[in-house]
């Protein structure tokens, strides 16, 4: 079946502009996660959605970052007033998160470059 | 937050050699997962471990869930050039719901 998809695959934006990154999770997966990965670094947790529960926003680095998940499916990560340090690959993952099965499946990522 | 210490940070090996990497923590994990990330791609799940002491294989890959629940290792036997990439461990804490904690990654280079 279809995996996690993300769009756009690459985004170049000017400092100060807002950007929206989209994630389509695997159908039926109730949990959705956003991570940030700087060049050569590990995965930095940003936010996660689990069903209808309030999202865990504890990883968002500043109030310029926000995310929504509409209808329990597609998610959008928004970065307002982008800064050069926001340049990174933004990865989305989804999981069933049920029956104690915690495998997360990742999309290909969106490479964001802020000039 | 919780920390996973992954080592080594990088490895340079010859094709055909075996390689081992591990993750340790001071916390107890319920689940251990191992991922591989190729350049320009998202991480791909290799092996999932759910029980302390569990040893699981996937082709040339073998991973174990440490008996103390605080560590895990991944072995790759008879390495080939396509094994090149970054390997990440990830653990799930009982108190963290479905959220995973990731190690910093091991960069593997295989010389033909």
């Amino acid at each position: 079946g279809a995996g996690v998809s993300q769009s756009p695959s690459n985004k170049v934006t000017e400092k100060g502009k807002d950007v929206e990154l989209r994630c389509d999770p695997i159908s039926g997966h109730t949990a959705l996660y956003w991570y940030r990965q700087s060049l050569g670094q590990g995965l930095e947790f940003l936010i996660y959605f689990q069903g209808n529960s309030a999202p865990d926003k504890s990883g968002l680095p500043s109030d310029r970052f926000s995310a929504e998940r509409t209808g329990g499916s597609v998610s959008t990560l928004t970065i307002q007033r982008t800064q050069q340090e926001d340049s990174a690959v933004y990865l989305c993952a989804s999981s069933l998160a049920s029956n104690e099965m915690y495998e997360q499946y990742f999309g290909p990522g969106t490479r964001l470059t802020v000039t | 937050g919780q920390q996973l210490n992954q080592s080594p940070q990088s490895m340079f090996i010859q094709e055909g050699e075996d390689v081992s990497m591990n993750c340790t923590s001071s916390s107890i994990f319920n689940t251990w997962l191992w991922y591989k990330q190729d350049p320009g791609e998202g991480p791909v799940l290799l092996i999932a471990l759910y029980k302390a002491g569990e040893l699981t294989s996937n082709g040339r890959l073998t991973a174990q869930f440490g008996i103390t629940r605080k560590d895990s290792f991944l072995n790759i036997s008879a390495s080939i050039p396509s094994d090149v990439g970054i390997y990440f461990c990830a653990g799930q804490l009982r108190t963290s719901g479905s959220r995973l904690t990731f190690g910093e990654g091991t960069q593997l280079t295989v010389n033909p």
Side-chain angles (χ1 to χ4, degrees):
Chain A
V4 177
S5 61
Q6 292 186 245
S7 61
S9 56
N10 283 282
K11 176 71 176 179
V12 180
T13 190
E14 292 180 352
K15 177 182 174 181
K17 295 285 182 65
D18 298 351
V19 295
E20 285 190 351
L21 312 180
R22 176 187 169 105
C23 173
D24 282 87
I26 293 172
S27 177
H29 279 194
T30 60
L32 186 149
Y33 315 79
W34 284 98
Y35 297 88
R36 179 168 70 176
Q37 187 176 32
S38 300
L39 187 63
Q41 301 298 311
L43 300 173
E44 176 189 4
F45 167 78
L46 297 177
I47 186 171
Y48 109 84
F49 299 87
Q50 172 66 62
N52 295 321
S53 302
D56 177 352
K57 304 179 181 180
S58 60
L60 294 178
S62 78
D63 59 7
R64 296 186 297 105
F65 288 72
S66 63
E68 291 185 340
R69 189 179 186 192
T70 54
S73 180
V74 171
S75 178
T76 302
L77 177 69
T78 301
I79 309 174
Q80 296 178 309
R81 305 180 303 282
T82 52
Q83 303 295 313
Q84 288 187 328
E85 60 263 30
D86 298 335
S87 296
V89 174
Y90 289 82
L91 290 162
C92 174
S94 70
S95 73
L96 277 172
S98 64
N99 296 324
E100 300 188 350
M101 303 288 282
Y102 298 109
E103 296 98 333
Q104 292 182 18
Y105 297 89
F106 285 82
T110 293
R111 181 174 297 279
L112 176 65
T113 303
V114 182
T115 62
Chain B
Q2 301 298 332
Q3 295 282 334
L4 279 183
N5 301 307
Q6 185 170 350
S7 65
Q9 189 174 14
S10 61
M11 301 183 74
F12 297 83
I13 63 173
Q14 294 297 124
E15 183 177 0
E17 290 183 355
D18 298 344
V19 62
S20 182
M21 59 194 77
N22 70 86
C23 279
T24 61
S25 176
S26 58
S27 301
I28 293 175
F29 287 87
N30 282 348
T31 301
W32 284 96
L33 306 169
W34 284 92
Y35 289 85
K36 182 194 177 197
Q37 186 177 28
D38 291 327
E41 303 289 331
V44 173
L45 181 65
L46 298 174
I47 291 179
L49 303 159
Y50 287 98
K51 293 172 60 176
E54 179 180 358
L55 185 71
T56 297
S57 293
N58 178 5
R60 293 177 297 104
L61 277 60
T62 301
Q64 184 157 30
F65 191 145
I67 199 72
T68 64
R69 308 180 76 93
K70 295 182 179 181
D71 62 340
S72 177
F73 71 75
L74 175 71
N75 287 342
I76 305 173
S77 63
S79 59
I80 59 178
S82 62
D83 290 335
V84 166
I86 305 176
Y87 291 79
F88 291 100
C89 64
Q92 182 266 336
L93 290 161
R94 180 173 53 83
T95 56
S96 66
S98 66
R99 180 174 162 179
L100 298 178
T101 301
F102 283 83
E104 290 299 305
T106 295
Q107 172 71 63
L108 178 64
T109 302
V110 180
N111 297 313

